[in-house]
Amino acid sequence: MPNIILTRIDNRLIHGQVATQWSGAIGINLILVANDEVASNPMRQGLMDMAAPSYAGTRYWTIEKTINNIHRASDAQKIFIIVDNPQDVLKLVEGGVPIKQLNVGNMHMSEGKRQVATSVAIDDADAEAFRKLRDLGVEIFIQRTPDIAKEDPEVLFK
């Protein structure tokens, strides 16, 4: 079974908070960005590689490739999966990726979304995906950085 330390939703994917705070706090050595668009965009991958911590490898896989290949990971790989929306997390879980914990870190405000936490805006489709993830046994929490208090995740299901 792959050693998935944490999965995080963050629209920005790999950036300063992920590189300097989360990666060290949770003790990972591999960051896997599961995102269909980024998997085929070498320029975005290069920018994220510059932000990634030097002690962690990076992979940029589609959702499908993640589902099909995550079980081949070595036990020595301490994996931090980063996605940009709850629907992709749901696809991963329904596809057999053993995600036990989901950190909701940053979901930008955009048209049709409502602000439910400090850095989280959702729409009805997001709320439905979060409800399904909860029903599948995924522990969901809202926390921007590891050094601040968690916010109430119940706001994600309404």
Side-chain angles (χ1 to χ4, degrees):
M1 181 175 297
N3 188 7
I4 299 169
I5 305 300
L6 185 64
T7 301
R8 176 178 170 91
I9 295 175
D10 194 319
N11 302 94
R12 302 162 295 179
L13 302 171
I14 300 176
H15 60 92
Q17 283 178 351
V18 166
T20 62
Q21 295 180 348
W22 280 105
S23 296
I26 62 175
I28 56 92
N29 59 21
L30 178 67
I31 300 173
L32 169 57
V33 174
N35 181 281
D36 291 347
E37 190 277 323
V38 172
S40 63
N41 188 328
M43 186 172 82
R44 282 195 68 194
Q45 292 175 22
L47 291 170
M48 284 188 262
D49 281 343
M50 286 189 282
S54 60
Y55 56 82
T58 55
R59 302 286 183 277
Y60 302 95
W61 289 357
T62 64
I63 299 300
E64 182 178 348
K65 184 173 181 176
T66 303
I67 291 167
N68 293 335
N69 291 286
I70 193 77
H71 295 285
R72 296 179 184 175
S74 160
D75 290 341
Q77 290 175 310
K78 297 175 183 170
I79 305 168
F80 186 12
I81 298 176
I82 303 175
V83 298
D84 77 348
N85 65 71
Q87 292 82 3
D88 282 352
V89 180
L90 183 59
K91 288 176 192 172
L92 293 172
V93 172
E94 290 178 338
V97 178
I99 294 171
K100 303 297 179 212
Q101 281 193 321
L102 175 61
N103 164 238
V104 182
N106 193 62
M107 294 177 63
H108 292 306
M109 177 61 96
S110 61
E111 188 170 336
K113 299 214 177 211
R114 60 194 176 275
Q115 196 80 29
V116 297
T118 304
S119 60
V120 179
I122 66 170
D123 60 20
D124 291 342
D126 297 329
E128 179 63 21
F130 283 125
R131 282 192 294 273
K132 287 180 180 177
L133 286 163
R134 178 187 59 191
D135 293 347
L136 289 168
V138 177
E139 176 194 340
I140 302 170
F141 63 98
I142 301 170
Q143 190 175 22
R144 284 183 297 146
T145 59
D147 60 335
I148 64 169
K150 294 178 181 177
E151 296 181 52
D152 182 6
E154 286 303 311
V155 298
L156 299 171
F157 311 119
K158 299 175 182 173

